[in-house]
Every structure is written in structure tokens, then in C-alpha cells.
Amino acid sequence: MTDLLASLDGERDGAAAMSLKKAVYERELLRLQTELVKLQEWTRAEGARLVVVFEGRDAAGKGGTIKRVAEHLNPRVARIAALPTPTERERTQWYFQRYVEHLPAAGEIVLFDRSWYNRAGVEHVMGFCTPVEHQRFLRQCPVFERMLIEDGILLRKYWFSVSDAVQEQRFRRRADDPLRRWKLSPMDLESLTRWEAYSRAKDEMLVHTDTADAPWYVVESDDKRSARLNMMAHLLSSVPYADVAPPSLTLPPRPPSTGYERPSKELQTAVPDHAATLGRD
């Protein structure tokens, strides 16, 4: 635990490392995504249940990593769970209850874009839960996760660690980019002014929930490309999957025409050909 906390304290130190070359990154990304498809097929064939928890600082690169993990997977097998703010009814439930219904059945993978650990982080720091509720979570969480594992669920937890300097740089880029401005919320801005409060909350969370049954794996993410590859490679190395031979498929011959004629396109409302207005190679 001491080594883990020391590693995470490094979030405050250093600027972003030099990023991997794009060609190297894209080649390895494709290789790992190909292996993730094999993992998916093994999960489906074996009836396994895999839960991957993505947590960490705001702007630490969780969303981009999840996007790359799921990019080539079958959404009927691998789905992303990103729960909204709890309803009034959900606030009266046992805290873990709303997450239980999103757990996988046999042959499924669930990627939690944030998870039940909201209570240990943003809810605790922002005062959205009481101190009693926070302490109850820290006691119950290891028990809850042990129950999942004892029932056969494969649970992997990743903490994305980013330095304060890089986080601020990413926030500024979001503010200046109309395509990413929606990612910058008032809650994100609060994380800048409450950096140390979030650090203390994270340290306390790790003390209670970095267990032998369900350890935390730290992903250094000042370099997003390296973070994505490192997380994906680790996940693949931690699951004993095997390459499952796909079923043999043969395209049937197209039957002869029975006289069908397609209606005139003039009878349809076509989408305007915007592409025709652009330059062609």
C-alpha cells in the first residue's frame, strides 16, 4: 500500500512525458484491440463475466481509453455503464443497489465509466453524502467486491493518475475547443480548486479498498497514448483468455431474379449530395 500511495503522490510532480510516435501507437493499438476482440469471444464462449472499473482524476483520460477499448467490440457483449445522477428514489436505496443491475450476465463485459467509487470521491469531497455514509461505504465496499469475486465475476479496477499541471492544460484545451467544450463542467472546475481534498479522499479510498481480492491498478496518464496501451495490455495479461475459433460461414449463392424492379428514385426523398460540393482526390 505504501508503494501504491507513493506512486499516486507522483500526480503532483512532473510535466507530461513525450508522447509515443503516432505510427507506433496506432500499430500497437490495433494489435491490442484485435486481442480484445479475442477476449470478447472467449468471454462469450465461456460464459464469463468481466467488470472493468475506470476511475481517476477529471481529465485523466478515462473516457478516451474506454472509447478505444470498446471501439471494435460487439455492443451486445461489451457495454459501457455511465450512470447519471441518482434519482430521488435511488437515493433511498442501498448505495450499491443501482450498480448491481448493471453487472454482467454470463458472456458479458461491462466497462464502468466511473462506478460505485463516486461515493469515495466526488460525493465525499463535494458534500453530496454525509460523513456517516462515506465511512459506511469504505467498510462495505471491500465486502461487496469480495461477494462479486466469490460469485465468479472477474473484477479489474484501474485508477488513472494525472499530474495537476497536465490536468489544468487539458482543461484549458477543452475550454478553447468547441468540439470538446461540453466535457468541461462546473464540477471539473471545482476539481482544480479542491486538488488536495481529492488527493486525501483518494488516499483514504485506497487504504480501504486496495485489497488482495480486488487490487487497484494505477495507470500513469500524463501521456494519453501510453496510458491507453498500458491499460489495455494489462487487462489482457490479467485474464486467462484463449483464441476461440469462429464458426465457419459460407455466403449462399444469390438466387435468380424473380422479376423485381426497383422503384424510380424520383419517388423518394433523397438526402442532398453535400459530398458532391467538396473537392475530390
Side-chain angles (χ1 to χ4, degrees):
M1 175 60 67
T2 302
D3 292 342
L4 181 60
L5 291 178
S7 171
L8 288 171
D9 284 339
E11 291 172 336
R12 296 184 58 85
D13 301 323
M18 184 177 295
S19 183
L20 281 175
K21 292 183 178 179
K22 186 175 181 180
V24 174
Y25 163 72
E26 291 182 343
R27 182 169 60 249
E28 180 63 7
L29 177 64
L30 182 59
R31 188 189 72 82
L32 293 172
Q33 288 176 327
T34 301
E35 290 300 313
L36 285 168
V37 173
K38 295 178 183 178
L39 171 62
Q40 166 195 269
E41 293 307 300
W42 173 86
T43 300
R44 180 161 55 178
E46 294 295 317
R49 292 173 291 166
L50 175 60
V51 170
V52 186
V53 169
F54 294 80
E55 291 286 347
R57 299 279 190 176
D58 293 315
K62 300 180 298 297
T65 304
I66 293 171
K67 178 180 178 181
R68 272 69 178 186
V69 169
E71 187 172 7
H72 297 290
L73 301 183
N74 183 344
R76 293 184 178 87
V77 176
R79 68 179 186 275
I80 300 171
L83 276 61
T85 303
T87 64
E88 288 299 322
R89 180 176 183 276
E90 288 171 334
R91 289 191 181 97
T92 67
Q93 296 174 342
W94 176 48
Y95 177 71
F96 295 95
Q97 187 171 339
R98 68 192 296 251
Y99 294 98
V100 168
E101 65 177 290
H102 294 276
L103 294 173
E108 294 180 348
I109 300 170
V110 176
L111 311 174
F112 276 96
D113 185 356
R114 296 201 180 274
S115 64
W116 44 88
Y117 282 99
N118 274 340
R119 176 137 296 178
V122 64
E123 289 190 18
H124 173 52
V125 173
M126 299 301 296
F128 297 154
C129 68
T130 67
V132 170
E133 290 171 330
H134 175 241
Q135 290 301 311
R136 183 187 303 136
F137 169 83
L138 295 177
R139 290 194 307 271
Q140 291 185 348
C141 184
V143 179
F144 171 68
E145 292 179 348
R146 190 176 306 118
M147 291 171 64
L148 300 183
I149 294 165
E150 288 179 351
D151 200 60
I153 288 178
L154 301 172
L155 176 62
R156 302 293 183 268
K157 304 187 302 187
Y158 292 97
W159 176 271
F160 284 73
S161 174
V162 65
S163 66
D164 49 358
V166 172
Q167 183 192 54
E168 184 173 353
Q169 290 170 9
R170 291 176 181 172
F171 282 162
R172 293 188 184 281
R173 285 199 297 269
R174 288 180 181 183
D176 296 335
D177 185 348
L179 296 180
R180 294 189 294 174
R181 196 173 297 146
W182 62 270
K183 291 185 176 182
L184 192 60
S185 69
M187 204 69 67
D188 293 328
L189 300 181
E190 284 282 353
S191 68
L192 283 175
T193 60
R194 298 175 187 250
W195 178 272
E196 291 191 358
Y198 273 104
S199 296
R200 294 189 182 96
K202 169 257 299 175
D203 291 346
E204 187 175 9
M205 176 194 78
L206 290 172
V207 167
H208 289 84
T209 64
D210 182 35
T211 65
D213 293 321
W216 278 103
Y217 298 105
V218 179
V219 182
E220 297 294 340
S221 61
D222 276 4
D223 175 6
K224 286 186 177 182
R225 291 177 180 173
S226 294
R228 293 164 186 165
L229 300 184
N230 292 341
M231 179 269 153
M232 294 163 70
H234 180 272
L235 174 62
L236 290 164
S237 71
S238 73
V239 179
Y241 72 98
D243 195 357
V244 177
S248 178
L249 299 175
T250 303
L251 290 178
R254 188 180 297 275
S257 173
T258 58
Y260 170 79
E261 293 185 7
R262 183 177 179 179
S264 171
K265 291 184 179 181
E266 294 179 356
L267 300 176
Q268 303 169 350
T269 303
V271 172
D273 192 356
H274 171 72
T277 68
L278 307 176
R280 300 288 185 177
D281 290 336

